[in-house]
């Protein structure tokens, strides 16, 4: 978005016009204090959101995180650990609506330990169930410590005929959905990849573009409002459904209006190919009311509840906690290609932490702006205790030659943005915007066609992940069983060869700005003797 539009006098809370004074914007995320003694970050969350009556025949589960830390993050409490020997286990009890449903032992400093339970004793309802998790730790003979946490469980009634359901696997943050064409089938993981797509004058007037989008391997379409012609909108969504394309429905212009949100949700919620809702588009940049996203979130869930809610943040550090309170999926759109991030050509002013707008907030003008933003968002979610219940996606830059951005990214640069974001935790790729250049569309298509093979590693609950960064080469390694997926992106504008990791035998490979060939390969790990 362009600061100054619609009379906007601030962006990310900063003044940016030469006639305005420098005033610190505030809203910085508070860094947790450090404790000199050990703390236990004891947390719990359901494995799936939402559960349905169809899930009663198989065990549901609550998973426990019991991480030892020295940061005073949300829910962390002092724990006295033995000076020598094993640090032991927690005796954990899970209660739902005041009734004990599960118990078990969880190793101290372990994460994602599942405690199964049966849904059969619960009656599905639209309101979430309160879940209480308690733990006892015996540090020494005759002395014990108590810890507690809470979460909520969504166990919803079977949805009305025709309405789709998108579940979140909170073990990974992945989406689970049935076929977008409404056909019967099992839930499968979805790694969404597809563009914010112009509606008026583009797909609304040329439905064959949707056929091309499908042929290019993309899985979702995010039509950009306004949707002044509802008949055309119906035709677009109908064709998307026929092709098996998921819908990411955008309410950016109405999300602050409860009446408008109600009308749109009720009009769209029964669509079989609806994957998720999208409310606020850069609310932190626009300095929207800080409670607006949460109000919209609650309204949507009161009307639907079967699909997650997403939004995108543009600012590096402006009331992150307030705006992300109203979402399941927070996206970042760090646009750092082709612009001067220290001096605004648009406004003739410098850009600092307290002043100015250069189109990429608090950026340094390198690809690392993207990985830094991804890492910051993930760390903040952890500090808030939201890391299990919210996921992070990325919005790569697919535009240019406009306002702050004096050129468009190349296809290779587009893939660098996307692969870098995936290596730093992105579970969805939704570029801004289509139409874009043939070069970027071809590169995006190559990545999209590789995603089906990649997602079985990236979205697997059993995957272990390692990230290696050497000389600006970022490598992600996902291992499932005896196989590993290796995804590398080189942030340098020259080729280099690096050995990835001894655990992947002697694999070494060459990368340029990024290879255009996305022939996905997995690698067999060497056999070891236990």
């Amino acid at each position: 978005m362009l600061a100054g539009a619609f009379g906007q006098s601030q962006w990310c809370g900063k003044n940016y016009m030469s006639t305005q004074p420098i005033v610190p914007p505030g809203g910085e995320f508070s860094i947790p204090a450090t404790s000199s003694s050990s703390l236990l970050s004891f947390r719990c969350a359901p494995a799936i959101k939402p559960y349905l009556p169809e899930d009663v025949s198989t065990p549901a589960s609550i998973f426990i995180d019991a991480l030892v830390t020295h940061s005073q993050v949300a829910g962390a409490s002092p724990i006295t650990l033995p000076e020598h020997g094993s640090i032991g286990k927690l005796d954990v009890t899970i209660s739902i609506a005041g009734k004990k449903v599960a118990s078990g032992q969880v190793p101290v400093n372990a994460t994602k330990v599942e405690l199964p339970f049966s849904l059969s004793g619960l009656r599905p309802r639209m309101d979430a169930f309160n879940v209480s998790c308690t733990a006892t730790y015996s540090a020494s003979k005759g002395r014990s410590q108590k810890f507690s946490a809470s979460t909520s469980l969504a166990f919803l009634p079977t949805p009305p005929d025709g309405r789709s359901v998108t579940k979140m696997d909170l073990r990974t943050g992945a989406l689970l959905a049935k076929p977008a064409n409404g056909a019967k089938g099992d839930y499968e993981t979805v790694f969404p990849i597809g563009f914010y797509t112009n509606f008026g004058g583009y797909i609304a007037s040329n439905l064959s573009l949707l056929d091309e989008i499908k042929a290019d391997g993309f899985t979702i379409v995010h039509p950009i409002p306004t949707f002044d012609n509802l008949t055309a909108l119906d035709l677009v969504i109908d064709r998307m459904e026929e092709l098996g394309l998921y819908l990411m429905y955008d309410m950016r212009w109405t999300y602050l209006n409860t009446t408008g949100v109600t009308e749109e949700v009720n009009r769209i919620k029964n669509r079989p190919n609806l994957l998720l809702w999208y409310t606020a588009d850069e609310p932190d940049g626009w300095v929207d009311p800080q409670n607006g996203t949460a109000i919209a979130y609650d309204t949507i869930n009161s009307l639907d509840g079967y699909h997650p809610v997403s939004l995108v943040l543009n600012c590096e550090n402006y009331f992150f906690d307030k705006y992300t309170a109203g979402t399941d999926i927070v996206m970042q759109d760090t646009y750092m290609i082709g612009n001067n991030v220290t001096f605004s050509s648009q406004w003739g002013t410098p850009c600092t932490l307290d002043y100015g707008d250069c189109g990429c907030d608090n950026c340094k003008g390198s690809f690392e702006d993207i990985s830094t933003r991804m890492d910051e968002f993930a760390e903040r979610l952890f500090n808030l205790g939201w890391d299990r219940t919210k996921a992070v996606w990325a919005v790569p830059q697919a535009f240019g030659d406009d306002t702050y951005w004096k050129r468009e990214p190349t296809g290779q640069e587009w893939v660098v943005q996307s692969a870098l974001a995936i290596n730093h935790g992105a579970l969805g790729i939704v570029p801004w915007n289509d139409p874009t250049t043939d070069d970027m569309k071809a590169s995006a298509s190559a990545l999209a066609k590789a995603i089906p093979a990649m997602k079985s590693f990236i979205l697997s609950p059993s995957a272990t992940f390692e990230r290696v960064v050497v000389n600006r080469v970022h490598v992600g390694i996902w291992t499932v069983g005896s196989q590993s997926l290796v995804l590398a992106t080189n942030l340098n504008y020259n080729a280099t060869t690096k050995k990835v990791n001894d655990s992947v035998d002697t694999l070494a490979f060459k990368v340029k700005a990024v290879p255009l060939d996305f022939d996905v390969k997995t690698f067999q790990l060497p056999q070891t003797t236990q």
Side-chain angles (χ1 to χ4, degrees):
M1 290 295 180
L2 174 63
F6 305 103
Q8 184 83 359
S9 61
Q10 292 182 331
W11 192 258
C12 297
K14 303 175 186 179
N15 292 333
Y16 57 82
M17 294 184 178
S18 59
T19 57
Q20 294 176 302
I22 299 175
V23 179
E28 294 90 351
F29 190 84
S30 298
I31 299 175
T34 300
S35 170
S36 58
S37 58
S38 296
L39 305 173
L40 182 71
S41 177
F42 178 68
R43 301 173 180 180
C44 56
I48 300 294
K49 177 186 178 183
Y51 284 108
L52 300 174
E54 65 190 21
D55 300 314
V56 170
S57 60
T58 57
S61 59
I62 300 291
F63 62 83
I64 303 296
D65 289 331
L67 188 66
V68 176
T69 179
H70 285 269
S71 294
Q72 295 180 356
V73 297
S77 302
I79 184 171
T80 302
L81 300 173
E83 295 182 5
H84 306 286
S86 172
I87 57 177
K89 298 181 178 181
L90 301 166
D91 292 311
V92 177
T93 298
I94 308 295
S95 299
I96 299 179
K99 180 182 178 181
K100 178 181 174 180
V101 297
S103 62
Q105 289 193 321
V106 175
V108 174
N109 213 25
T111 59
K112 292 195 289 187
V113 177
E114 294 195 46
L115 296 181
F117 71 96
S118 174
L119 292 166
S120 60
L122 302 175
R123 184 186 296 269
R125 66 188 194 189
M126 294 306 297
D127 293 333
F129 289 90
N130 293 323
V131 180
S132 174
C133 307
T134 59
T136 302
Y137 178 59
S138 298
S140 60
K141 191 172 183 179
R143 180 183 176 189
S144 63
Q145 300 171 69
K146 303 288 186 180
F147 302 91
S148 63
S150 62
T151 188
S152 59
L153 175 77
F155 181 35
L156 303 183
T158 300
D161 290 343
R163 188 178 306 186
S164 66
V165 178
T166 301
K167 300 181 180 183
M168 287 187 70
D169 184 341
L170 300 187
R171 298 167 296 182
T172 63
L175 300 186
L176 304 170
K178 293 188 175 182
N181 61 7
K184 291 183 179 181
D186 295 331
Y187 288 95
E188 294 186 359
T189 55
V190 178
F191 190 108
I193 180 167
F195 285 73
Y196 289 80
T197 305
N198 287 1
F199 179 72
Y202 194 55
I203 56 173
S205 55
N206 186 359
L207 295 180
S208 66
L209 291 169
L210 295 169
D211 297 69
E212 296 176 14
I213 290 170
K214 177 66 175 181
D216 283 337
F218 300 108
T219 54
I220 65 167
V221 177
H222 182 141
I224 303 170
T226 57
F227 305 130
D228 296 328
N229 187 334
L230 295 182
T231 299
L233 178 62
D234 285 338
L235 291 173
V236 165
I237 300 176
D238 286 345
R239 185 57 184 154
M240 287 173 56
E241 180 184 335
E242 292 170 1
L243 292 168
L245 289 167
Y246 289 109
L247 170 67
M248 188 172 184
Y249 187 78
D250 191 322
M251 292 181 281
R252 69 181 63 198
W253 301 120
T254 55
Y255 92 94
L256 291 174
N257 182 323
T258 301
T259 299
V261 169
T262 299
E263 292 175 354
E264 293 199 71
V265 170
N266 285 336
R267 186 170 65 243
I268 299 296
K269 66 183 181 182
N270 290 324
R271 285 286 187 169
N273 61 333
L274 173 64
L275 187 69
L276 75 165
W277 305 104
Y278 179 90
T279 55
D281 190 78
E282 303 177 335
D284 50 346
W286 294 107
V287 196
D288 284 352
Q290 293 167 26
N291 64 346
T293 61
I295 293 173
Y297 183 87
D298 291 342
T299 301
I300 292 169
N301 279 286
S302 70
L303 298 166
D304 176 42
Y306 295 95
H307 303 88
V309 178
S310 65
L311 55 78
V312 69
L313 297 184
N314 181 257
C315 307
E316 185 267 332
N317 193 0
Y318 187 68
F319 291 107
F320 177 89
D321 55 338
K322 301 297 184 182
Y323 291 117
T324 55
T327 193
D328 299 299
I329 297 162
V330 56
M331 309 166 74
Q332 61 79 19
D333 58 358
T334 309
Y335 303 145
M336 39 61 61
I337 294 176
N339 56 338
N340 184 337
V341 300
T342 61
F343 188 86
S344 175
S345 60
Q346 187 71 19
W347 308 106
T349 59
C351 291
T352 69
L353 293 176
D354 295 330
Y355 183 74
D357 180 21
C358 286
C360 192
D361 187 49
N362 296 344
C363 291
K364 296 180 179 179
S366 66
F367 287 114
E368 283 86 354
D369 289 324
I370 295 169
S371 52
T372 296
R373 193 73 56 93
M374 292 294 303
D375 293 346
E376 286 179 342
F377 279 20
E379 182 179 6
R380 291 172 191 166
L381 291 179
F382 172 78
N383 292 342
L384 290 164
W386 296 346
D387 55 315
R388 297 299 181 207
T389 56
K390 300 180 190 291
V392 183
W393 292 8
V395 181
Q397 179 183 344
F399 68 95
D401 193 23
D402 179 26
T403 57
Y404 308 105
W405 304 276
K406 302 309 178 185
R407 70 172 181 87
E408 296 158 326
T410 66
Q412 290 186 336
E413 288 172 325
W414 184 92
V415 181
V416 168
Q417 298 176 74
S418 302
L420 180 62
I422 293 171
N423 277 343
H424 286 262
L427 299 179
I429 298 293
V430 189
W432 180 276
N433 65 318
D434 188 18
T436 188
T437 66
D438 291 343
D439 187 21
M440 277 190 281
K441 184 60 89 60
S443 295
S445 175
L447 177 58
K449 290 178 179 179
I451 287 293
M454 296 166 62
K455 73 171 187 173
S456 61
F457 289 84
I458 296 171
L459 304 182
S460 171
S462 62
T464 59
F465 176 71
E466 180 182 4
R467 184 187 304 120
V468 179
V469 180
V470 181
N471 297 334
R472 303 189 73 212
V473 177
H474 290 235
V475 183
I477 307 170
W478 291 262
T479 300
V480 178
S482 62
Q483 289 190 315
S484 289
L485 169 71
V486 179
L487 177 63
T489 184
N490 180 15
L491 311 190
N492 303 289
Y493 283 87
N494 59 280
T496 186
T497 300
K498 295 293 176 185
K499 185 173 181 179
V500 178
N501 191 304
D502 288 338
S503 68
V504 193
D505 204 3
T506 58
L507 173 68
F509 54 90
K510 181 178 288 187
V511 285
K512 296 183 179 179
V514 77
L516 291 179
D517 180 8
F518 276 93
D519 180 20
V520 176
K521 295 180 176 67
T522 57
F523 301 92
Q524 193 79 17
L525 294 179
Q527 296 297 316
T528 59
T529 301
Q530 298 295 331

